[in-house]
């Protein structure tokens, strides 16, 4: 009996030592990952001067929720080299609100169409994307707050260089290309390198250059005074199709990233970080990544402002715009972000 007790104590001691060793190894792995993440996040272009929290939106009636995080995503319409050319105007090619909804355990993305005819604070009525051109991130945020009553938690601006590199790093993304999209991409310079202009209708894997060209399509090549439409998979043309393609690319990228290992994630972060400008702190980014991991989903709920049947398309000052029913779109956006 005493021998059994001694053997039992010995087994427990051995297990205890093994446990300590495993804990130490796990701690080393965790420390290594933490160090790697710190190093990667250190490559971000932190922009505290344009932090959204510094924008005074107190005079506007805005909505927020502690369980719903809203990040403004901006894609510039020129790559890094083009942006540095003197006299070249920089515009926001795509503007989205990415939503981490912990209340309903969902990931959401909303496209904000650039041709909306809105009141730009201090600048009168104009197209929505003129806010960024006239006042950068701060004026863009104030325009969103004043028109749609949404308080945002931060912003991230990504240039096209990052877009191409990220898609290539994950080995491409699968996209369902329509016949008109394939024809347009193969016969124009939307895809940067000619050797990549070989798309076909149907599902296929696009590399970074192809995916960038795909998500920038707005309408067809003008021939004999006629601009033919290019239809998306759901039958949308013009900017409606373009914003749909952008959301589809984000969904395809999330689906691909979901299957990657931790090491691959870290390698991908190293590619992304130098090409991102943001006012989010390291702690913010850590907490959002953990929250997304806890959700256990990469499915994106998608929305677009203006919604169908809530706008007209007049020509004002010689330019085609989207004259929206502001109240309907404001209510629709709030419902999508906070209540679904």
């Amino acid at each position: 009996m005493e021998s059994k007790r001694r053997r039992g104590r010995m087994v427990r001691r051995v297990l205890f030592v093994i446990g300590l060793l495993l804990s130490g190894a796990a701690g080393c792995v965790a420390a290594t990952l933490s160090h790697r993440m710190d190093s990667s996040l250190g490559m971000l272009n932190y922009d505290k001067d344009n932090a959204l929290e510094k924008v005074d939106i107190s005079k506007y009636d805005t909505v927020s929720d502690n369980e719903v995080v809203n990040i403004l995503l901006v894609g510039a319409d020129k790559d890094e080299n083009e942006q540095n050319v003197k006299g070249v105007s920089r515009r926001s090619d795509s503007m989205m609100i990415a939503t981490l909804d912990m209340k309903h355990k969902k990931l959401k993305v909303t496209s904000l169409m650039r041709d909306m005819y809105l009141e730009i604070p201090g600048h009168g009525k104009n197209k929505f994307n003129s806010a960024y051109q006239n006042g950068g991130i701060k004026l863009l945020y104030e325009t969103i707050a004043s028109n749609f009553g949404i308080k945002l938690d931060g912003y991230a601006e990504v240039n096209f260089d990052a877009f191409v590199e990220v898609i290539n790093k994950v080995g491409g993304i699968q996209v369902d290309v329509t016949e008109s999209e394939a024809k347009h991409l193969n016969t124009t310079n939307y895809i940067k390198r000619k050797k990549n202009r070989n798309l076909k209708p149907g599902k296929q894997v696009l590399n970074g250059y192809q995916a960038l060209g795909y998500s920038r399509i707005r309408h067809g090549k003008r021939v004999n005074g006629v601009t033919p439409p290019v239809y998306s998979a759901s039958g949308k043309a013009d900017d409606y199709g373009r914003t749909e393609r952008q959301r589809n690319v984000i969904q395809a990228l999330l689906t691909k990233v979901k299957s990657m290992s931790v090491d691959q994630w870290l390698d991908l972060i190293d590619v992304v970080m130098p090409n991102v400008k943001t006012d989010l702190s390291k702690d913010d980014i850590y907490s959002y990544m953990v929250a997304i991991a806890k959700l256990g989903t990469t499915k994106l709920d998608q929305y677009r402002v203006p919604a169908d049947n809530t706008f007209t398309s007049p020509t004002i000052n010689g330019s085609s715009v989207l004259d929206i029913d502001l109240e309907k779109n404001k209510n629709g956006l709030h419902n999508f972000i906070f209540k679904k």
Side-chain angles (χ1 to χ4, degrees):
M1 192 69 176
E2 182 62 28
S3 176
K4 287 184 179 180
R5 280 198 293 269
R6 280 199 300 269
R7 284 198 299 271
R9 286 195 295 270
M10 181 62 69
V11 169
R12 286 194 293 273
R13 288 169 183 165
V14 171
L15 291 176
F16 177 70
V17 171
I18 292 174
L20 284 177
L21 292 173
L22 290 175
S23 297
C28 288
V29 170
T32 300
L33 289 176
S34 178
H35 175 74
R36 177 75 184 276
M37 279 295 296
D38 280 338
S39 176
S40 297
L41 292 176
M43 293 187 287
L44 268 174
N45 298 304
Y46 288 100
D47 183 21
K48 294 306 177 184
D49 291 337
N50 290 306
L52 298 194
E53 64 181 14
K54 293 182 179 180
V55 180
D56 182 12
I57 59 169
S58 59
K59 58 186 173 183
Y60 307 120
D61 184 16
T62 59
V63 177
S64 63
D65 188 314
N66 290 334
E67 294 185 274
V68 180
V69 178
N70 289 302
I71 305 298
L72 176 62
L73 300 181
V74 178
D77 71 342
K78 305 181 190 316
D79 63 25
E80 191 172 327
N81 291 329
E82 292 171 318
Q83 289 168 21
N84 291 332
V85 176
K86 186 177 181 180
V88 173
S89 173
R90 192 178 186 194
R91 297 183 300 275
S92 48
D93 185 66
S94 63
M95 294 158 288
M96 299 180 180
I97 297 176
T99 301
L100 169 56
D101 183 352
M102 293 171 281
K103 181 182 293 184
H104 302 99
K105 302 187 184 308
K106 290 183 177 181
L107 295 174
K108 307 172 184 178
V109 63
T110 303
S111 293
L112 303 173
M113 294 183 70
R114 63 185 186 180
D115 288 343
M116 290 188 290
Y117 195 59
L118 301 173
E119 187 70 36
I120 312 296
H123 295 268
K125 295 202 76 170
N126 206 336
K127 287 188 177 183
F128 176 49
N129 70 336
S130 71
Y132 182 86
Q133 189 173 4
N134 288 317
I137 288 294
K138 287 183 175 180
L139 184 57
L140 181 59
Y141 176 32
E142 189 176 355
T143 301
I144 293 171
S146 64
N147 285 277
F148 298 108
I150 298 288
K151 183 179 180 182
L152 301 175
D153 300 289
Y155 90 91
E157 180 182 309
V158 184
N159 64 48
F160 286 162
D161 295 329
F163 189 96
V164 172
E165 288 184 45
V166 167
I167 300 296
N168 286 336
K169 188 69 176 179
V170 301
I173 55 172
Q174 188 176 71
V175 174
D176 191 0
V177 179
T178 67
E179 185 174 353
S180 61
E181 288 169 342
K183 180 180 178 181
H184 181 70
L185 290 171
N186 290 337
T187 57
T188 65
N189 62 357
Y190 270 64
I191 296 178
K192 195 170 184 179
R193 298 178 179 176
K194 286 186 178 180
K195 67 178 182 179
N196 294 314
R197 298 172 192 169
N198 55 2
L199 303 186
K200 57 187 184 297
K203 290 184 177 180
Q204 60 207 281
V205 175
L206 305 187
N207 64 29
Y209 294 106
Q210 293 167 333
L212 176 59
Y214 167 83
S215 42
R216 294 186 73 182
I217 298 173
R218 194 177 184 192
H219 44 63
K221 185 177 181 180
R222 191 174 182 83
V223 179
N224 297 325
V226 178
T227 304
V230 177
Y231 294 105
S232 67
S234 70
K236 296 288 193 304
D238 298 321
D239 210 29
Y240 316 106
R242 187 179 67 94
T243 54
E244 178 186 313
R245 292 182 194 98
Q246 292 170 353
R247 296 191 300 273
N248 288 343
V249 165
I250 293 175
Q251 176 63 84
L253 182 58
L254 283 173
T255 300
K256 192 67 178 283
V257 169
K258 183 181 180 181
S259 63
M260 294 167 58
S261 68
V262 173
D263 283 341
Q264 289 173 317
W265 270 53
L266 293 171
D267 289 341
L268 185 61
I269 290 172
D270 286 346
V271 172
V272 175
M273 293 302 111
N275 294 291
V276 175
K277 185 165 70 171
T278 183
D279 63 343
L280 298 174
S281 68
K282 285 185 180 182
D283 289 342
D284 289 333
I285 296 172
Y286 275 131
S287 64
Y288 297 155
M289 290 178 69
V290 170
I292 291 171
K294 286 182 178 179
L295 288 185
T297 181
T298 54
K299 179 181 178 298
L300 273 181
D301 286 3
Q302 301 184 16
Y303 194 66
R304 187 196 75 220
V305 176
D308 289 341
N309 305 314
T310 64
F311 63 93
T312 57
S313 303
T315 297
I316 298 178
N317 296 325
S319 181
S320 179
V321 302
L322 301 178
D323 190 16
I324 74 172
D325 184 321
L326 189 57
E327 198 60 27
K328 283 185 179 179
N329 280 286
K330 180 178 178 179
N331 291 337
L333 180 60
H334 285 209
N335 186 57
F336 174 73
I337 287 179
F338 297 107
K339 298 179 181 179
K340 286 188 174 183

